[in-house]
Amino acid sequence: MVRHFLKDDDVTPLEQSQILTLALELKAAPYSRQPFAGPQTVALIFDKTSTRTRVSFAVGVADLGGVPLIIDSATSQMGAKESIADTARVLERQVAAIVWRTYAHSGLEEMAAFSKVPVVNSLSDDYHPCQILADLLTIQERFGKLAGLKLTYVGDSNNNMANSYLLGCVTAGMEVALAGPAKYAPSQEILDRANLLGASTGGSASFTTSAMDAVSAADVIATDTWISMGQEAEKEQRIAEFAGYTVDAALLSLAKPTAIVLHCLPAYRGYEISAEVIDGPQSVVWDEAENRLHAQKALLVWLAEQSKA
């Protein structure tokens, strides 16, 4: 049966652990697995602009023995003259996997429903699961474990990163505390899904409007831009609404002394994070950015193997 990765809880806790273990192996031996030798082609579709996602997937596919085929949806037929379902039927006969960075999550679900090759969500409006795999890899490298650690996410708690932190980190057995303005609280449905997962993994999920309370005793602090793609017209309003939610030295001091700081990038110093913190000794954002490559390679290998089983 073909396996897809559209959201963080599409894999079980054991499967997530297997992917992260494989990522560590591939980081140590980058060319040791060649599932796309031939070479086979992997379609990388971009509806949104990208730096880290484009580079890490293109390099990763090449490392795995394949050819990355980058498709700019603006210059293709997809979604305009041709349906997503028909696109899936065309691509599945020519590529080994489909990776799509898009807007509506429903498009990914439709692509997966009609594809006989793995479909990977490299970002949608609802989830960013590949980023969370990279973050978990980074945390595991630093602490040697995931279960039992506390991750605090500060900022827009109703966006794709917040959703994925809730689901992905609770799957790993972590305590996830979100903090942001009440207007930007996570959906109750996502919180409930995360806490249901936590009942079996030992993880938990919560939301508060107090960044100071959420950060207390945190092992990991994460944040994201306050103004995501498509929200540029709301910039001034959002800056005002998120006042007090900057991850700065004062907020970081409330976490454990050994705490690390994550940011999926791009970062806007002086807004969601201060320059002192992102460029400081507790920041691991550059390791985190590199780990997109290793985590995504492991995911592609794992999906290829599972889909042949």
Side-chain angles (χ1 to χ4, degrees), residues 166-197:
L166 285 170
L167 297 176
C169 293
V170 170
T171 295
M174 299 177 70
E175 174 188 353
V176 182
L178 270 57
K183 178 179 176 180
Y184 298 96
S187 75
Q188 192 61 48
E189 186 266 336
I190 295 288
L191 277 174
D192 289 346
R193 271 170 58 194
N195 279 311
L196 183 61
L197 278 168

Side-chain angles (χ1 to χ4, degrees), residues 2 70 106 210 269:
V2 64
I70 296 176
S106 58
S210 172
R269 292 164 173 79

